Amino acid sequence: MTTWDGFQAFAAMPVAALPPPGAPPRSLEERLVYYSRFVTVRTPAIDALAKNVRTLMILGRHQAVTARPSLIVTGPAGAGKTTALLQVGRACHLAHTRRHGPTATAGQAPVAYVLVPPAASAKTLATEFARYLGIPVAAGMSQAQITSAVCHTYTAAGVQLVMIDEIHRLNPRTTTGAQSADLIKDLTERIGATFVYAGIDVTTTPLFTGVRGAQLAGRASLIDCAAFPARLGESEPFRDLITAVEGALDLRHHRPGTLPQLAPYLHERTAGRIGSLARLIRQAAIAALLDGTERITRTSLEAIRLDHLAEQHYRPHARPRSRSASTL
């Protein structure tokens, strides 16, 4: 995904979907592949990000003097930040292709997706930008030379949207972190694109502190990919999410409505994180295919080992054994 060829293949890949009504049943292998990819459920965060990205791209289309307005997607681990980022990037890529046609877009790259490496220096981060578009980087090149090549090539390729993930890895309080933050600021001013960042709980990191943090906060709007609450006023966002996920299941004996009825348990099990919920249900669906039951129940969900973060959250709520049982 962190190269143009990889991102282009991701964007062009048909989305996972249930077979249309009346279509013949899919084979076991086809359904295992389906759960490996699975559907992407539209969430409020994805909708908000898509709307804001489109608005900011129009707002900054002819802005040439200073950096364009940007966005930051923040939230806890497993809240769907990267998924939201990639889905919006995919939509931007496909919209560009529809407008101009595949022939006209040859040699163009409307979207860039870059991961911040751990303990990134300005030079290693600039190299990641270069690697995305296959810009040659010789061993003796300076950071300034790499940056100039990146800005020239990104401009020539017509990059309109730059997505920078794992932004929480930058610490402007350190020398290398400050230099990397300065590099990103330089890129935003030299590349005519809208920049969108994603990271874990960004507002609690050093990224928003000091002069550099004030500059970022003054240019970027914030979209919070928080965990889904069990209840929000009169609505039940987490139950609605479960209903949408259950509607995408391809299991022959699963009883519709089973998972929404388990909403309190599923919320406790996953802490409302969409990443943990999707993993839990996909693993349970695969297990149901492999053992032939073709249904998901609370018992089958309990048998799934989830990510450590979710298991640590759920473990303190496990029912303790009775005194008589513990003394046997």
Side-chain angles (χ1 to χ4, degrees), residues 160-171:
Q160 302 170 9
L161 176 64
V162 176
M163 305 182 298
I164 304 179
D165 208 350
E166 307 289 350
I167 194 70
H168 58 271
R169 289 176 174 172
L170 291 184
N171 183 0

Side-chain angles (χ1 to χ4, degrees), residues 171-219:
N171 183 0
R173 292 177 181 171
T174 67
T175 301
T176 56
Q179 292 171 348
S180 298
D182 287 342
L183 169 68
I184 291 178
K185 180 177 179 294
D186 188 26
L187 294 176
T188 63
E189 293 174 346
R190 297 173 62 183
I191 299 173
T194 297
F195 279 66
V196 181
Y197 314 94
I200 297 173
D201 296 331
V202 173
T203 55
T204 65
T205 70
L207 203 61
F208 273 3
T209 61
V211 175
R212 293 176 178 86
Q215 287 179 325
L216 179 61
R219 291 176 174 176

Side-chain angles (χ1 to χ4, degrees), residues 200-257:
I200 297 173
D201 296 331
V202 173
T203 55
T204 65
T205 70
L207 203 61
F208 273 3
T209 61
V211 175
R212 293 176 178 86
Q215 287 179 325
L216 179 61
R219 291 176 174 176
S221 304
L222 207 65
I223 292 181
D224 194 357
C225 267
F228 277 70
R231 181 174 291 278
L232 187 62
E234 296 298 317
S235 64
E236 297 182 73
F238 192 70
R239 189 184 298 271
D240 294 340
L241 174 64
I242 294 169
T243 301
V245 174
E246 186 183 64
L249 292 178
D250 190 2
L251 294 172
R252 291 167 188 169
H253 304 309
H254 182 79
R255 184 168 60 86

